Amino acid sequence: MIFGTLIFSTFKEALEKKIILVIFIVIALIVFLMLAFLNLDSVVGMNDLLKMQGEEGYRQGIIEFENVLISQPTFLVVFSLLIVLSASFIPSMLEKGSVDVLLSKPISRVNIILGKYISVVLFAFLIIAFLISLIWLMISIKSGIWHFPYLQSIIWFTFIFAVLYSLVLLTGVLTQSTVLSIIINLLLLFPVTGLLAAREALMLGFLSSDVAKGIINFFYYIFPKPWDLREMCVILISGGTIESWQPLITSVLFMLAMLSISIYYFSKKDY
């Protein structure tokens, strides 16, 4: 009942702030661009060329094309948008008047934080599921290749958002500022975690100091790893195997740490 109320209030707030309208417009634009792209003569010609390579070659070409659609630039745009759209939920909840009404109800502060967190993650899940399902459906109908493992990216992307939103939640609770939440988390998404994910190629190759390398590796392990998780997603939906689950494990630990700190601070704060 408690979680249901918080979920309802989150969706109601998204509707009032026109967040759902913005999302609808963005998704409609993406779908329109996808349809236009899939009907280009060059794409149709490439499709015919892939068919000439045999059934297996054609299927592999379609899978690689689907993977391109969740490439790093697309990933950055989608998650930047999700962070911007979700950053205001906690500060608005903590505004004078809103938080007073919320705390006057027979709801524990732990349940308030967890309920808000779960409701926003669920909101993001619906957006991600709708967008990826639409893209997958258009490609599948156009190509005739129904690559169902691609839908696993919905779960992976939702998990990545859940990890990132744990820090959005914490910064929102600490600062009660939407702007600061957006800035801090966009910096974390890129360039911080982006550079750390490529630390061996971009950083360690230019450093001779073991101390500097140790510091960089330290920050790599304590920060979330959205880019590594995206790579794991691509590997799995392509039929590959994961060599190390370290990015997943450390990202889960980061998420739990951020949630724990948020709950502790919110429980002790006198509003």
Side-chain angles (χ1 to χ4, degrees):
M1 183 64 182
I2 295 172
F3 288 103
T5 302
L6 289 170
I7 289 172
F8 174 77
S9 66
T10 299
F11 279 80
K12 181 181 178 181
E13 181 181 346
L15 187 62
E16 291 174 348
K17 291 183 175 180
K18 305 295 188 296
I19 293 176
I20 292 178
L21 178 60
V22 172
I23 291 169
F24 176 79
I25 293 173
V26 171
I27 290 178
L29 180 60
I30 292 173
V31 171
F32 174 78
L33 292 174
M34 276 293 300
L35 287 172
F37 177 74
L38 290 174
N39 286 290
L40 286 175
D41 291 339
S42 59
V43 175
V44 175
M46 183 177 65
N47 193 44
D48 294 336
L49 183 62
L50 287 173
K51 288 181 178 179
M52 294 174 62
Q53 299 179 11
E55 183 177 347
E56 186 58 34
Y58 178 59
R59 180 179 179 82
Q60 190 60 38
I62 296 300
I63 292 174
E64 290 176 0
F65 175 69
E66 289 178 332
N67 290 341
V68 168
L69 297 177
I70 54 174
S71 62
Q72 293 184 356
T74 307
F75 180 85
L76 177 62
V77 171
V78 170
F79 278 87
S80 296
L81 180 63
L82 287 175
I83 287 173
V84 170
L85 292 176
S86 64
S88 65
F89 286 118
I90 296 301
S92 63
M93 182 188 77
L94 297 178
E95 289 178 353
K96 194 65 178 176
S98 297
V99 70
D100 295 333
V101 172
L102 195 59
L103 294 178
S104 67
K105 298 181 181 297
I107 309 173
S108 72
R109 295 197 177 194
V110 173
N111 283 336
I112 290 174
I113 288 293
L114 290 179
K116 199 66 175 180
Y117 175 77
I118 292 171
S119 63
V120 176
V121 171
L122 176 60
F123 182 66
F125 166 76
L126 294 175
I127 297 170
I128 293 169
F130 185 58
L131 179 58
I132 291 179
S133 297
L134 269 179
I135 293 173
W136 172 78
L137 189 60
M138 286 189 293
I139 295 174
S140 299
I141 293 174
K142 184 72 176 180
S143 66
I145 301 297
W146 298 82
H147 182 228
F148 288 97
Y150 187 72
L151 296 176
Q152 293 179 31
S153 58
I154 296 173
I155 304 301
W156 278 94
F157 276 27
T158 302
F159 171 71
I160 292 170
F161 175 79
V163 173
L164 294 175
Y165 189 69
S166 65
L167 182 59
V168 176
L169 176 72
L170 177 59
T171 52
V173 169
L174 292 177
T175 67
Q176 299 182 35
S177 170
T178 299
V179 174
L180 280 177
S181 294
I182 292 173
I183 293 173
I184 291 172
N185 287 279
L186 287 183
L187 285 174
L188 180 69
L189 176 62
F190 183 83
V192 176
T193 57
L195 291 174
L196 288 175
R199 70 197 189 287
E200 293 183 1
L202 298 178
M203 294 183 179
L204 300 186
F206 299 99
L207 296 174
S208 58
S209 171
D210 290 336
V211 174
K213 292 179 180 180
I215 292 173
I216 292 173
N217 279 323
F218 170 76
F219 282 110
Y220 169 76
Y221 285 110
I222 66 170
F223 280 144
K225 299 161 186 65
W227 302 96
D228 290 347
L229 293 173
R230 188 202 69 85
E231 290 297 326
M232 293 172 69
C233 171
V234 171
I235 291 172
L236 287 177
I237 65 179
S238 300
T241 55
I242 303 297
E243 295 181 359
S244 172
W245 293 91
Q246 173 269 130
L248 178 65
I249 295 170
T250 52
S251 294
V252 169
L253 293 176
F254 175 87
M255 178 177 64
L256 293 176
M258 296 301 101
L259 285 175
S260 299
I261 298 172
S262 299
I263 290 171
Y264 177 80
Y265 183 84
F266 184 68
S267 299
K268 298 297 181 179
K269 177 72 174 177
D270 183 20
Y271 291 97

